[in-house]
Amino acid sequence: MVMNGLLQKYRFACTLTFGDIYGQVMIWLIVIFISLGAAIAMYQNPVYAFLTSGLILVLSVPFLLFAFVTTLLNHIELLPADSVVQKTQSNSTVAVEPSRIVQPG
């Protein structure tokens, strides 16, 4: 963004943790095991077994990718650099939004 003729800087932060996608990983593992179970159940005809597992995986991958990407995008923060207060004690930085700063007194 252009502000007063200068290019405004932004702070980029990704707050995604494993706990945010843990449920998605568990559902994906369940889908894989169901696919393998269906393939083993139809193993009398290997072509049907292969097609069954392939169909389940092909149909579930777009939903899995959509879930991962939307979760990732929901955990990306872009804050204007001038609204970020940085404190550098012992090489650590803490970012605080101006609306969350409590004025003393």
Side-chain angles (χ1 to χ4, degrees):
M1 298 286 164
V2 176
M3 189 170 134
N4 296 334
L6 299 173
L7 190 62
Q8 187 175 4
K9 293 183 180 181
Y10 286 91
R11 177 184 166 271
F12 175 83
C14 181
T15 60
L16 187 70
T17 61
F18 183 70
D20 298 325
I21 61 170
Y22 185 73
Q24 296 172 11
V25 170
M26 295 307 292
I27 291 172
W28 178 239
L29 288 173
I30 290 169
V31 167
I32 288 174
F33 285 124
I34 288 173
S35 173
L36 290 174
I40 290 171
M42 296 184 174
Y43 199 68
Q44 292 173 352
N45 189 344
V47 174
Y48 288 153
F50 179 73
L51 291 178
T52 301
S53 60
L55 183 65
I56 291 172
L57 293 176
V58 166
L59 291 177
S60 67
V61 165
F63 295 104
L64 176 78
L65 291 177
F66 178 76
F68 278 146
V69 170
T70 54
T71 302
L72 175 63
L73 291 177
N74 285 333
H75 285 84
I76 291 178
E77 295 178 352
L78 286 174
L79 299 172
D82 59 349
S83 71
V84 176
V85 176
Q86 294 184 349
K87 185 167 123 182
T88 57
Q89 288 180 345
S90 70
N91 296 331
S92 66
T93 58
V94 177
V96 179
E97 295 180 42
S99 62
R100 294 185 185 171
I101 297 175
V102 177
Q103 298 295 330

